[in-house]
């Protein structure tokens, strides 16, 4: 049986195909402002017996493809557990949400997630990279070249941007500002993480796990952390596994 | 919300009619998107929907009619204010709380932004001349529950005839005495307003009216607990919101009718939910008229709210007033006793509320509890930590949601609520 998972995030759409519990196809594409069109492109010519959707845009799949949905919290927990059966904690930092998930025997035991504020998420890094004139994919490696000497107090993306602009005006080194910003977001994430009493093994997933500086700083705080080779696809993978398990997948429509 | 046939009335009340129409349209839209979208509702709900729709129209016209017969209108903001005393002096009690996001910015022109949406919404309606009750009331009654309300009374008392009841912060004998004294002072002030004295048999009669209203709401609460539940939590909330606006005898009769219908639905096994829906208790802050946010989110994400440990839930009807006494003092004492048991989070310590939450969750046979906290409501927000701990003793999972009246966080809230429901076994 071939099953698939699609994770429609705020920044990227991830698609994973599983055959007998092995990933044989995956794809990552930008969500853009026309997610439905992008979804159509992704799903074109793909063959699978069952598809499950997750992520912020999961209702688009439900409404347009009558597709079962799960939350990204369950999907990330399932995906992380698949790769690392001894993982107890998942930190997922995506485009606009940060989630900390505790896992017990493969199931979600507890979770924390930010509410409306995008502080401590990928959005923060994205805006800051732009302010400093870095490409998002270089931001982490460039920050690692800095020496952290500037305290950045703002957690809020908007305030931090003003703070960065005044630091640039003061003539501070860009790399130092970049590193300080990474420290600032780590502090924010750690507040949420410590509230959850993280237990080893800890998996770091989501798009922000591709940032080397974030990985290094989190390691300093938490000891060992596991980062999957493709940290972005963990949610889509989880959705594909849930499709395979085929246990009582139901749409919200059926629930009502 | 009712249409143009009341425009003349609103004009005469000095409302900003155009803005008021905008408010009504906004609330209407919210209603249609939440309550109105439900399937398989009990037929009797039409009446309670109409109470909400007529709250700015027909009900206001009724009150103006009462006023022309010499009855004065008394507005209140909190369920600690004893309605039976108001009624016993031929005055008409009406709740003044706002649950709409529309009026929040109008309050923020004057008040700090970082106070709770309920206070801002209520004041925003008054400040923007879109609350039809503001011009017709002869007295407003505040109470010393939370800091936001307490300090807002200072401002309001300069503009309108205002009475503040001092609610103690603890529940020792000295506090109970203070509260009983406050009940007496309240009664005296109302006697001045009504230009008459309390009569024990009339007071008793009004207590009975309120007790009957409480009893029928208790009956409704019991019927809700049947498995599967015959009515949605959102519909029950609509009934509770109507309870704070409608004439009590008429309201009681209609809730009896609703309960009869629900018994019939139970016999036939009719429920608005599929058998997969997970039973949930909502605990924490009230959802007043205009605010259907949290119940709607839960019940469109696979949950069924079967019990509400809130002021727009169990707290409003759980205790009756003892009617043994035959004199005014004795009856006022019984009223004081009854109202002191509401377990508002403004009390310290508030262990009774922890026990109440545990018991309600057990009785309701719920799978989990959603703690609904209005942003900047410090007492409920901090107490949520203790409630969570108390529920944990029974292995009862809970999820704390802190939010305001806006729609901006619904996507994230939905994810959190769905994920919470996914974890419930």
């Amino acid at each position: 049986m071939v099953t698939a998972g699609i994770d429609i995030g705020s920044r990227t759409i991830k698609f994973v195909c599983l055959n007998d519990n092995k990933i044989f196809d995956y794809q990552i594409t930008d969500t853009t402002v026309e997610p439905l069109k992008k979804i159509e492109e992704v799903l074109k010519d793909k063959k699978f017996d069952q598809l499950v959707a997750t992520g912020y845009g999961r209702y688009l799949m439900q409404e347009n493809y009558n597709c079962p949905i799960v939350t990204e919290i369950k999907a990330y927990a399932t995906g992380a557990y698949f790769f690392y059966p001894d993982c107890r904690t998942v930190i997922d930092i995506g485009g606009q949400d940060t989630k900390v998930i505790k896992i017990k025997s493969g199931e979600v035991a507890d979770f924390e997630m930010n509410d409306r504020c995008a502080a401590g998420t990928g959005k923060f890094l994205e805006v800051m990279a732009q302010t400093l004139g870095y490409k998002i994919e270089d931001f982490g490696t460039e920050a690692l070249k800095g020496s952290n000497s500037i305290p950045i107090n703002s957690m809020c993306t908007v305030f931090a941007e003003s703070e960065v602009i005044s630091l640039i005006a003061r003539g501070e080194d860009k790399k130092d500002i970049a590193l300080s910003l990474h420290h600032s977001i780590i502090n924010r994430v750690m507040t949420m993480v410590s509230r959850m009493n993280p237990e080893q093994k800890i998996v770091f997933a989501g798009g922000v796990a591709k940032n080397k500086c974030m990985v290094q700083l989190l390691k300093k705080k938490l000891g060992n952390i596991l980062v999957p080779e493709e940290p972005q696809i963990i949610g889509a993978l989880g959705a594909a596994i849930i499709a395979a398990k085929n246990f009582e997948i139901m749409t919200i429509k059926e629930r009502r | 919300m009712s249409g143009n046939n009341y425009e003349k009335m609103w004009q005469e009340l000095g409302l900003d009619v155009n803005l008021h129409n905008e408010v009504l349209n906004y609330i209407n839209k919210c209603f249609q998107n939440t309550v109105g979208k439900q399937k398989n509702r009990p037929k009797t709900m039409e009446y309670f929907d109409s109470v909400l729709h007529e709250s700015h129209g027909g009900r206001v016209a009724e009150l103006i009619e009462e006023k022309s017969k010499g009855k004065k209108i008394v507005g209140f903001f909190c369920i600690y204010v004893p309605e039976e005393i108001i009624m016993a002096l031929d005055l008409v009690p009406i709740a003044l709380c706002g649950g709409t996001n529309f009026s929040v910015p109008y309050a923020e022109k004057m008040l700090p932004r970082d106070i709770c949406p309920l206070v801002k919404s209520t004041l925003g309606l008054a400040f923007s001349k879109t609350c039809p009750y503001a011009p017709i009331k002869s007295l407003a009654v505040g109470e010393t529950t939370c800091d936001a309300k307490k300090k807002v009374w200072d401002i309001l008392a300069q503009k309108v005839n205002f009475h503040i009841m001092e609610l103690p912060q603890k529940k020792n004998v000295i506090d109970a005495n203070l509260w009983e004294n406050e009940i007496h002072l309240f009664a005296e002030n109302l006697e001045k307003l009504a230009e008459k004295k309390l009569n024990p048999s009339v007071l008793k009669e009004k207590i009975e009216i309120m007790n009957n209203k409480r009893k029928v709401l208790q009956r409704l609460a019991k019927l809700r607990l049947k498995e599967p539940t015959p009515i949605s939590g959102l519909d029950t909330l609509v009934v509770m919101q109507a309870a704070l606006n409608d004439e009590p005898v008429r309201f009681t009769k209609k809730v009896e009718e609703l309960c009869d219908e629900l018994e019939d639905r139970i016999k036939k096994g009719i429920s608005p939910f599929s058998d997969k829906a997970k039973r949930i208790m909502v605990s924490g802050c009230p959802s007043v008229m205009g605010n259907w946010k949290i119940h709607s989110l839960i019940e469109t994400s696979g949950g069924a709210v079967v019990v509400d440990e809130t002021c727009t839930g169990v707290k409003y009807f759980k205790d009756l007033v003892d009617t043994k006494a035959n004199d005014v003092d004795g009856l006022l004492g019984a009223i004081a006793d009854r109202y002191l048991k509401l377990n508002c989070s403004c009390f310290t310590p508030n262990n009774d509320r922890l026990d109440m939450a545990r018991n309600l969750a057990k009785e309701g046979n719920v799978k989990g509890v959603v703690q609904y906290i209005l942003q900047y409501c410090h007492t409920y927000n901090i107490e949520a930590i203790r409630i969570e701990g108390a529920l944990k003793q029974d292995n009862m999972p809970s999820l704390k949601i802190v939010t305001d009246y806006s729609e901006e966080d619904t996507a994230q809230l939905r994810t959190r609520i769905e994920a919470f429901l996914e974890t419930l076994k």
Side-chain angles (χ1 to χ4, degrees):
Chain A
M1 181 173 66
V2 177
T3 62
I6 188 163
D7 175 0
I8 298 135
S10 61
R11 289 290 284 103
T12 52
I13 296 173
K14 286 75 72 175
F15 177 86
V16 169
C17 244
L18 274 186
N19 194 351
D20 287 337
N21 278 343
K22 285 191 185 59
I23 299 176
F24 75 86
D25 181 19
Y26 77 87
Q27 194 182 333
I28 301 170
T29 178
D30 282 350
T31 308
T32 72
V33 289
E34 290 178 304
L36 266 179
K37 206 172 107 191
K38 286 283 165 185
I39 291 166
E40 210 174 313
E41 284 169 23
V42 169
L43 293 179
K44 212 173 69 182
D45 309 327
K46 299 276 195 312
K47 298 248 186 305
F48 44 77
D49 305 309
Q50 172 70 281
L51 174 70
V52 167
T54 186
Y56 160 83
R58 61 191 177 281
Y59 307 106
L60 283 174
M61 293 298 300
Q62 189 185 45
E63 280 152 30
N64 294 282
Y65 292 84
N66 204 4
C67 170
I69 57 173
V70 293
T71 64
E72 48 270 43
I73 290 165
K74 188 180 179 130
Y76 265 88
T78 309
Y81 184 74
F82 173 84
F83 272 134
Y84 309 101
D86 50 359
C87 103
R88 294 284 168 273
T89 312
V90 183
I91 300 170
D92 159 31
I93 310 182
Q96 59 176 26
D97 290 322
T98 294
K99 303 172 186 85
V100 182
I101 310 160
K102 292 291 285 290
I103 299 184
K104 220 182 199 152
S105 27
E107 299 278 340
V108 176
D110 201 0
F111 67 91
E112 278 266 357
M113 173 180 159
N114 60 311
D115 34 33
R116 71 194 73 193
C117 170
T121 69
K123 178 54 77 185
F124 181 92
L125 287 172
E126 208 173 355
V127 172
M128 295 309 141
Q130 208 176 0
T131 310
L132 287 169
Y134 289 119
K135 282 204 189 106
I136 185 74
E137 47 273 14
D138 304 333
F139 196 30
T141 33
E142 290 300 310
L144 283 171
K145 296 174 189 165
S147 57
N148 181 42
S149 55
I150 321 158
I152 288 191
N153 306 306
S154 310
M155 297 278 184
C156 165
T157 311
V158 178
F159 294 164
E161 191 173 15
S162 311
E163 206 171 337
V164 166
I165 288 165
S166 50
L167 290 172
I168 294 170
R170 218 166 69 186
E172 297 286 356
D173 187 321
K174 258 177 47 163
K175 294 187 187 66
D176 288 354
I177 301 174
L179 181 61
S180 305
L181 285 165
H182 282 75
H183 273 285
S184 152
I185 179 173
I186 286 287
N187 288 342
R188 169 85 193 198
V189 170
M190 280 308 296
T191 315
M192 203 187 282
V193 172
S194 37
R195 263 208 301 265
M196 294 292 288
N197 299 323
E199 293 168 69
Q200 289 287 2
K201 304 260 178 32
I202 300 168
V203 172
F204 182 24
V208 171
K210 291 168 89 163
N211 177 311
K212 290 194 169 54
C213 185
M214 288 295 291
V215 173
Q216 212 175 88
L217 295 181
L218 259 190
K219 269 190 181 151
K220 266 192 198 147
K221 296 270 184 196
L222 295 167
N224 190 31
I225 53 171
L226 305 162
V227 182
E229 200 178 328
E230 277 288 2
Q232 272 177 295
I233 64 162
I234 300 298
L237 169 70
I241 295 162
I242 290 163
K245 279 186 181 166
N246 212 5
F247 65 84
E248 229 192 324
I249 295 168
M250 46 183 184
T251 61
I252 301 285
K253 275 186 201 140
E254 284 166 11
R255 293 185 197 176
R256 276 302 314 238
Chain B
M1 306 292 147
S2 48
N4 297 342
N5 43 344
Y6 293 111
E7 292 233 341
K8 193 164 160 287
M9 176 180 82
W10 294 327
Q11 247 151 7
E12 284 166 3
L13 290 173
L15 298 190
D16 178 337
V17 176
N18 289 337
L19 190 63
H20 185 249
N21 283 338
E22 279 185 58
V23 175
L24 295 191
N25 288 338
Y26 181 89
I27 297 177
N28 237 334
K29 212 168 75 197
C30 287
F31 183 91
Q32 291 313 336
N33 287 334
T34 52
V35 182
K37 273 210 174 129
Q38 300 178 101
K39 289 190 184 70
N40 204 350
R41 303 177 71 201
K43 189 139 179 33
T44 322
M45 282 311 298
E46 284 169 16
Y47 172 77
F48 300 101
D49 287 1
S50 78
V51 171
L52 300 202
H53 289 310
E54 289 297 332
S55 64
H56 279 228
R59 184 62 177 142
V60 178
E62 260 180 9
L63 294 183
I64 291 172
E65 175 71 16
E66 297 271 10
K67 254 188 101 157
S68 69
K69 292 183 203 152
K71 288 189 172 190
K72 288 178 175 152
I73 313 301
V74 176
F76 65 95
F77 304 90
C78 173
I79 63 169
Y80 271 99
V81 176
E83 293 169 71
E84 41 272 90
I85 306 177
I86 301 171
M87 285 151 58
L89 288 159
D90 252 351
L91 305 162
V92 186
I94 194 93
L96 296 174
C97 280
T100 177
N101 200 45
F102 186 93
S103 55
V104 168
Y106 296 92
E108 287 175 344
K109 281 182 192 168
M110 198 174 143
L111 296 171
R113 283 198 68 218
D114 41 11
I115 55 175
C116 97
L118 196 151
V119 170
K120 285 191 290 195
S121 174
T122 307
L123 273 290
L125 290 167
F127 295 165
S128 62
K129 297 200 166 100
T130 54
C131 172
Y133 299 104
I136 60 173
K137 68 180 185 317
S138 302
L139 176 74
V141 186
E143 74 312 307
T144 55
T145 45
C146 69
D147 287 353
K149 279 182 170 179
K150 234 169 11 199
K151 298 317 292 176
V152 162
W153 307 151
D154 294 2
I155 300 168
L156 283 188
Q158 296 170 350
K159 300 184 175 196
V160 293
N161 185 18
F162 213 89
H163 177 94
I164 299 170
M165 300 184 79
E166 183 169 358
L167 187 68
Q169 308 288 283
K170 291 164 74 183
K171 289 186 188 172
N172 297 331
V173 175
I174 190 172
D175 305 294
N177 291 342
L178 176 134
W179 178 238
E180 188 165 353
N181 193 41
E182 282 294 318
I183 298 277
H184 278 271
L185 289 173
F186 178 52
E188 281 165 30
N189 203 355
L190 290 177
E191 285 176 334
K192 282 193 200 108
L193 180 73
E195 296 168 350
K196 59 168 76 165
K197 286 274 171 215
L198 274 174
N199 161 316
S201 63
V202 178
L203 180 56
K204 198 178 261 206
E205 180 200 324
K206 301 304 177 186
I207 291 173
E208 293 290 2
I209 287 177
M210 286 304 293
N211 277 350
N212 287 339
K213 182 175 166 181
R214 290 167 188 135
K215 281 180 198 158
V216 75
L217 290 170
Q218 288 170 2
R219 182 183 166 201
L220 174 62
K222 273 209 181 69
L223 292 170
R224 267 179 100 180
L225 293 183
K226 289 278 189 276
E227 303 198 30
T229 183
I231 184 167
S232 70
L234 190 53
D235 275 346
T236 318
L237 180 64
V238 167
V239 174
M240 291 307 299
Q241 292 172 344
L244 290 166
N245 183 271
D246 200 6
E247 193 284 315
V249 176
R250 176 176 59 198
F251 173 83
T252 302
K253 201 169 139 285
K254 282 292 176 181
V255 183
E256 292 287 6
E257 277 175 38
L258 173 67
C259 288
D260 293 345
E261 185 186 353
L262 293 185
E263 278 177 354
D264 188 52
R265 279 164 72 96
I266 290 163
K267 272 194 207 109
K268 294 176 179 153
I270 301 171
S271 169
F273 304 105
S274 90
D275 53 6
K276 294 193 182 85
K278 289 175 175 156
R279 295 165 68 90
I280 294 292
M281 172 167 103
V282 169
S283 158
C285 294
S287 298
V288 298
M289 204 185 291
N291 174 13
W292 302 286
K293 183 171 170 174
I294 197 74
H295 290 71
S296 182
L297 273 170
I298 295 169
E299 295 191 330
T300 51
S301 300
V305 180
V306 295
V307 53
D308 287 272
E309 181 274 328
T310 62
C311 302
T312 39
V314 168
K315 287 181 188 176
Y316 185 67
F317 56 76
K318 71 184 174 72
D319 305 301
L320 303 181
V321 175
D322 192 305
T323 52
K324 275 202 299 287
N326 289 315
D327 59 314
V328 169
D329 279 359
L331 290 168
L332 289 180
I335 288 172
D337 286 348
R338 184 266 169 196
Y339 279 86
L340 201 56
K341 289 186 199 147
L342 294 178
N343 302 331
C344 174
S345 62
C346 66
F347 281 92
T348 177
N350 199 23
N351 297 331
D352 292 350
R353 183 171 168 236
L354 305 186
D355 297 339
M356 177 168 78
R358 285 177 69 179
N359 291 336
L360 288 170
K362 270 185 235 162
E363 277 167 32
N365 194 18
V366 299
K367 295 261 188 256
V369 175
V370 173
Q371 294 207 64
Y372 174 60
I373 313 294
L374 290 172
Q375 203 177 14
Y376 307 120
C377 177
H378 305 315
T379 52
Y380 274 107
N381 197 355
I382 298 169
E383 192 149 278
I385 301 164
R386 292 197 74 210
I387 293 276
E388 184 183 351
L391 293 168
K392 261 203 180 118
Q393 293 175 20
D394 307 321
N395 295 321
M396 178 61 66
S398 65
L399 172 76
K400 184 175 92 171
I401 301 271
V402 181
T403 185
D404 60 10
Y405 289 171
S406 73
E407 294 292 304
E408 65 189 27
D409 56 351
T410 46
Q412 270 123 337
L413 289 184
R414 193 177 284 287
T415 298
R416 289 178 60 209
I417 290 167
E418 274 181 34
F420 177 64
L421 293 170
E422 278 169 348
T423 61
L424 301 179
K425 291 285 165 291

